[in-house]
């Protein structure tokens, strides 16, 4: 891998930012994921830059160029630039070169007197410590390019020290192994992660959830999860995660991380609710995860009428979620799964033909009885495979309403 000139260097927003900083005599280099992914020919996300200039100088240069500057992390030397131009607008994080003065595993106190080598030495992994100058030249002080080519994910310097600086790096290691590693793992990294398992409870649930979902979203997370289990990390983090085998079978069927999480764990609905609470999942994610816990309310061998009723009551998304889990659990064959998915895609759910006005038109006062009568008729209509039309449903309603 030689020097690289990614296409995004020519974006109007990038050129405008670089011109503004250059006019103020500020040297910058891109660093982190955007450089790593550019070298791999991947689509990039955020654009992060490093600079020897202090954050106040960066803020002043941006304001002079009429670029919006946000002091998003001044204590850590980070300024966010929001650049609008003739092309797509972009946000950039520009961080002053720094070295750690004091860390506690979650937060760090830094000094802004570092050089490029010192800045690289405090980063997490070698593949994230490659710098790219605006002219396309790369600077690789810790051997990240060779590791990237070899698909070798390793910590910069002493692995245990990097983890002590930020315990989340345990989970980041396995996520990066899933995305960029060979699957064999780095012996020093794994030993350090195993030794630091006891520090995992110090992490916030939100940070754990974010890393876990990113790992599960990787195209091939199985080997990394296996390493986590072998190193004692997975059991400490999520003892419910006992079905790596089921997750492996789900991978070709779904890339949704929440559905993959449901395949990975083996719990009942109360266990799924407890895990959702522990991970601080959103209400929607919590409800979906609980809905995917066993026992599964879908019988793949039921007759067509029962399948239509299940599809009506579950909804297409939940119906397909459960069908894929059943296939991953080897309870249905691939052909049966395709048939169920086709049914969910093509079937238009019928509309119940009655409403509350039909009940009150019979002289029944608004109140709980209206809902009870409608519910009774609806269940009768559903159990009859939705065949009853409005006239038949009205007749059923009148019959039920006539009872004491």
């Amino acid at each position: 891998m030689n020097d690289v000139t990614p296409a995004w260097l020519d974006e109007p927003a990038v050129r405008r930012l670089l011109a503004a900083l250059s006019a103020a005599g500020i040297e910058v280099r891109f660093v982190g994921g955007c450089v790593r992914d550019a070298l791999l020919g991947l689509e990039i996300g955020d654009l992060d830059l490093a600079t020897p200039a202090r954050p106040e100088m960066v803020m002043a240069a941006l304001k002079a160029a009429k670029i919006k500057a946000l002091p998003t992390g001044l204590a850590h030397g980070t300024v966010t630039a929001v650049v609008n131009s003739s092309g797509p607008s972009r946000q950039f994080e520009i961080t002053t070169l720094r070295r750690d003065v004091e860390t506690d595993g979650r937060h760090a106190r830094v000094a802004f007197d570092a050089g490029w080598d010192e800045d690289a030495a405090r980063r997490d992994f070698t593949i994230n410590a490659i710098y790219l100058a605006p002219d396309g030249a790369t600077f690789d002080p810790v051997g990240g390019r060779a590791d990237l080519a070899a698909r070798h994910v390793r910590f910069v310097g002493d692995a245990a020290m990097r983890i002590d600086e930020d315990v989340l790096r345990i989970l980041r290691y396995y996520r990066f192994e899933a995305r960029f590693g060979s699957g064999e793992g780095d012996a020093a990294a794994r030993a350090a992660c195993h030794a630091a398992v006891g520090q995992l409870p110090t992490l916030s649930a939100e940070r754990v959830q974010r890393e876990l979902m990113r790992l599960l979203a990787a195209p091939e997370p199985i080997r990394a999860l296996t390493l986590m289990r072998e190193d004692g990390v997975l059991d400490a983090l999520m003892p419910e995660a006992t079905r790596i085998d089921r997750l492996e079978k789900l991978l070709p069927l779904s890339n949704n991380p929440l559905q993959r999480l449901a395949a990975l764990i083996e719990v009942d609905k109360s266990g799924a609710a407890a895990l959702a609470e522990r991970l601080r999942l959103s209400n929607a994610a919590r409800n979906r995860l609980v809905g995917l816990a066993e026992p599964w309310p879908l019988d793949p061998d039921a007759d067509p009428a029962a399948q239509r009723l299940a599809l009506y009551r579950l909804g297409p998304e939940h119906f397909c979620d459960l069908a894929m889990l059943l296939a991953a659990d080897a309870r249905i064959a691939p052909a049966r799964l395709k048939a169920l998915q086709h049914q969910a895609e093509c079937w238009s759910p019928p509309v119940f033909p009655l409403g509350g006005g039909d009940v009150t038109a019979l002289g029944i006062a608004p109140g709980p009885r209206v809902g009870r009568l409608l519910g009774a008729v609806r269940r009768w209509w559903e159990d009859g495979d939705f065949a009853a039309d409005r006239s038949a449903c009205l007749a059923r309603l009148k019959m039920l309403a006539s009872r004491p």
Side-chain angles (χ1 to χ4, degrees), residues 238-282:
M238 195 167 54
E240 304 93 337
T242 60
R243 293 300 306 273
I244 293 178
D245 62 317
R246 185 164 65 192
L247 172 59
E248 186 171 14
K249 292 183 176 65
L250 181 72
L251 294 186
L253 307 175
S254 172
N255 59 9
N256 181 280
L258 190 68
Q259 194 174 44
R260 289 180 172 188
L261 176 62
L264 177 62
I265 61 175
E266 188 151 52
V267 292
D268 58 15
K269 296 191 183 303
S270 63
L275 177 61
E277 175 64 25
R278 204 166 74 240
L279 293 177
R280 298 291 189 270
L281 294 180
S282 67

Side-chain angles (χ1 to χ4, degrees), residues 4 28 42 72-73 84 86 125 133 145 154 156 221 246 251 270 282 286 293 308 328 344 364 366 378 384-385 387 392:
V4 62
V28 292
L42 302 175
T72 47
N84 298 309
S86 58
F125 307 110
R145 296 188 67 171
R154 65 182 177 94
V156 174
R246 185 164 65 192
L251 294 186
S270 63
S282 67
R286 174 196 179 279
R308 286 190 288 271
I364 296 172
R378 179 188 286 274
D385 199 20

